[in-house]
């Protein structure tokens, strides 16, 4: 199988961390592609008509896409139990919260990097950050119990989301008021799977 990636994407990183934790490195080849929302690489469109990464190309079926679909597929393939049935709805909600933080902060990055300066909206950027900040605060106040214990996809997703905020929006100071989550993040990012997938 081939995974189309851009290393800085938090959605991609979530999948790459799972691959390492599930010990699937020998079954998934990671292929870096140069693609943007404005100029989508043809191989990405061929795998995902929406033109988004990550996309997983399988030898025995059509490409699958959306990071949550890919992680669920790979977890099932490996039997890694990163979607534990005993807490499945909580874990899926935690993953969705992390993905929403990614959505908002990636949108902020695109506004700054892809839109002409005269077309950028500071109000829109702040609205996106408000969404991300609410999500981060919710994880800190409601979901910390799910960030301990056996590894699950919620933990991987939250770590990937927060690490992206550090990468692109470090000045926002997400740790202020979220000290418990900040301590957890510092410990989780020391895992080999996080270290080896950190964007250069």
């Amino acid at each position: 199988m081939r995974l189309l990636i851009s290393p800085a994407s938090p959605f991609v990183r979530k999948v790459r961390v799972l691959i390492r934790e599930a010990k699937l490195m020998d079954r998934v080849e990671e292929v870096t592609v140069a693609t943007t929302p404005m100029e989508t690489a043809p191989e990405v469109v061929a795998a995902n008509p929406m033109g988004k990464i990550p996309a997983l190309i399988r030898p025995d079926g059509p490409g699958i896409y959306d990071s949550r679909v890919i992680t669920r597929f790979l977890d099932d393939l490996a039997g890694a139990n990163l979607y534990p049935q005993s807490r499945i709805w909580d874990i899926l909600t935690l993953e969705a919260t992390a993905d929403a933080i990614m959505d908002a902060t990636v949108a902020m990055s695109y506004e700054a990097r892809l839109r002409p300066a005269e077309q950028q909206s500071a109000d829109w950027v702040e609205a996106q950050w408000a969404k991300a900040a609410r999500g981060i605060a919710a994880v800190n106040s409601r979901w910390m119990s799910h960030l301990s214990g056996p590894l699950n996809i919620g933990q991987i997703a939250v770590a990937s989301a927060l690490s992206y905020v550090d990468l692109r929006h470090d000045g926002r100071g997400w740790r202020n008021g979220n000290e418990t989550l900040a301590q957890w993040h510092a410990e989780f990012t020391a895992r080999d799977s996080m270290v080896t997938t950190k964007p250069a």
Side-chain angles (χ1 to χ4, degrees), residues 18-51:
L18 182 142
I19 287 170
R20 285 151 179 79
E21 295 287 356
K23 298 178 171 51
L24 289 172
M25 287 295 294
D26 61 338
R27 301 188 64 177
V28 181
E29 176 190 1
E30 297 175 351
V31 180
T32 300
V33 293
T35 189
T36 74
M38 307 298 287
E39 296 183 20
T40 306
E43 60 266 41
V44 175
V45 174
N48 176 0
M50 300 300 103

Side-chain angles (χ1 to χ4, degrees), residues 3-17 30-33 35-37 44 51-55 66-68 70 98-99 101-103 105-107 109-110 113 156-157 159-165 167-168 194 197-200:
L3 181 71
L4 304 184
I5 71 168
S6 177
S9 163
F11 299 100
V12 165
R13 192 174 189 189
K14 180 177 70 167
V15 177
R16 297 182 71 209
V17 170
E30 297 175 351
V31 180
T32 300
V33 293
T35 189
T36 74
V44 175
K52 294 183 177 182
I53 53 173
D66 188 282
S67 65
R68 277 181 272 185
I70 296 172
D99 281 8
I101 295 168
M102 296 181 199
D103 278 329
T105 52
V106 168
S109 297
Y110 284 166
R113 295 170 55 210
I156 293 171
S160 299
L162 296 177
S163 294
Y164 182 79
V165 178
L167 178 68
R168 297 292 192 216
M194 291 293 294
T197 58
K198 184 176 181 178

Side-chain angles (χ1 to χ4, degrees), residues 10 36 38-39 50 52 56 69 74 84 87-88 98 111 123 137 145 147 164 176 186 189:
T36 74
M38 307 298 287
E39 296 183 20
M50 300 300 103
K52 294 183 177 182
L56 184 69
V69 175
L74 293 175
R87 297 192 294 172
I88 189 61
E111 182 76 358
D123 289 343
S145 63
L147 297 181
Y164 182 79
N176 297 330
T189 53

